[in-house]
Amino acid sequence: MNIFRLAGDMTHLLSVLVLLLKIHTIKSCAGISLKTQELYALVFATRYLDIFSHYYSLYNTVMKLIFLGSSFSIVWYMRRHKVVRRSYDKDQDTFRHHFLVLPCLVLALLINERFSFREVMWTFSIYLEAVAILPQLVLLQRTRNVDNLTGQYVFLLGAYRGLYIINWIYRYFTEPTYSTHWITWLSGLLQTLLYADFFYYYIHSVKNNVKLQLPA
């Protein structure tokens, strides 16, 4: 644990809290992609298979429970809540996210650090998380006008992965026993690069105090 890892975790947690705040208090999921939320639920479900079999620390267990519980609760809200689901824009959220799942699974079966069920599922979750934001980014480009909470949510989600990359670099140079997990590094770099365009327009809107608008 170091300051960059902690900052990454807290930024990730804050992104989830911002989204839950939007859904729970405003009773709206406008501008949020259900497809992306379903992918994140699958990411956490396959990554944390060891939650009840391997104990690392109280912090680790609590964070796993938070991300598992929040991801599935968000999907439930968007699919089942009688008020929230009315604001979901199904006609715009049409990215075929199922086509992301199979390639990631095949890639995990072919390229992994150890061929075991848990390791393949962990690798699958890494690959899938790298591209899970795509439906959300496509939805925002289609709707163009992005409300403040949605913009903050996506920005924080991207910033968390950027902080994790800094954490990996820091550990590489400061921990003699740290081993480079190139699958995680490459997937994290790809995930961060997908946010580059959004980061540019988000920072521009904050700097100029104008409403965030993305190009079509």
Side-chain angles (χ1 to χ4, degrees):
M1 180 63 71
N2 57 67
I3 188 62
F4 302 112
R5 164 71 185 275
L6 181 61
D9 285 345
M10 292 302 102
T11 303
H12 194 185
L13 180 60
L14 186 57
S15 72
V16 173
L17 293 177
V18 166
L19 181 53
L20 287 173
L21 176 68
K22 173 186 173 77
I23 291 176
H24 185 69
T25 60
I26 306 177
K27 295 294 187 294
S28 171
C29 62
I32 301 299
S33 169
L34 175 61
K35 308 294 180 65
T36 283
Q37 298 308 316
E38 289 175 339
L39 291 176
Y40 278 130
L42 182 58
V43 164
F44 295 128
T46 53
R47 181 173 301 173
Y48 299 147
L49 292 173
D50 63 346
I51 189 170
F52 296 116
S53 60
H54 290 73
Y55 179 80
Y56 300 99
S57 68
L58 178 61
Y59 174 86
N60 184 273
T61 300
V62 170
M63 293 300 282
K64 287 179 179 180
L65 289 172
I66 289 174
F67 290 127
L68 274 170
S70 62
S71 61
F72 280 95
S73 65
I74 290 168
V75 171
W76 180 86
Y77 263 108
M78 295 182 70
R79 280 190 170 274
R80 302 296 180 187
H81 193 279
K82 62 182 180 180
V83 177
V84 175
R85 68 180 184 181
R86 294 174 189 167
S87 59
Y88 170 55
D89 194 348
K90 185 178 181 180
D91 294 333
Q92 294 286 355
D93 190 23
T94 57
F95 191 102
R96 297 185 178 182
H97 63 323
H98 302 95
F99 290 122
L100 295 175
V101 176
L102 184 57
C104 289
L105 179 58
V106 172
L107 192 60
L109 288 167
L110 296 175
I111 304 176
N112 53 72
E113 295 185 358
R114 187 175 66 255
F115 193 79
S116 66
F117 176 74
R118 187 182 299 162
E119 184 68 25
V120 169
M121 288 296 97
W122 180 86
T123 306
F124 164 71
S125 76
I126 295 296
Y127 292 148
L128 187 60
E129 185 183 12
V131 295
I133 195 62
L134 281 174
Q136 180 65 65
L137 295 176
V138 170
L139 176 61
L140 293 183
Q141 284 191 318
R142 286 176 177 172
T143 56
R144 297 194 63 188
N145 290 320
V146 184
D147 66 75
N148 289 335
L149 288 178
T150 301
Q152 291 168 9
Y153 162 69
V154 176
F155 177 79
L156 290 168
L157 202 56
Y160 124 76
R161 182 50 76 187
L163 287 166
Y164 254 59
I165 291 177
I166 298 174
N167 158 61
W168 298 330
I169 295 172
Y170 175 81
R171 294 184 64 189
Y172 178 80
F173 286 106
T174 60
E175 298 180 17
T177 59
Y178 178 69
S179 57
T180 303
H181 299 282
W182 64 270
I183 290 177
T184 308
W185 280 55
L186 291 178
S187 299
L189 181 60
L190 171 62
Q191 183 178 352
T192 305
L193 289 175
L194 289 176
Y195 286 90
D197 190 57
F198 177 85
F199 282 161
Y200 172 80
Y201 288 103
Y202 181 85
I203 293 172
H204 180 269
S205 70
V206 172
K207 182 180 178 181
N208 294 281
N209 195 29
V210 296
K211 185 175 177 60
L212 175 60
Q213 288 187 316
L214 301 178

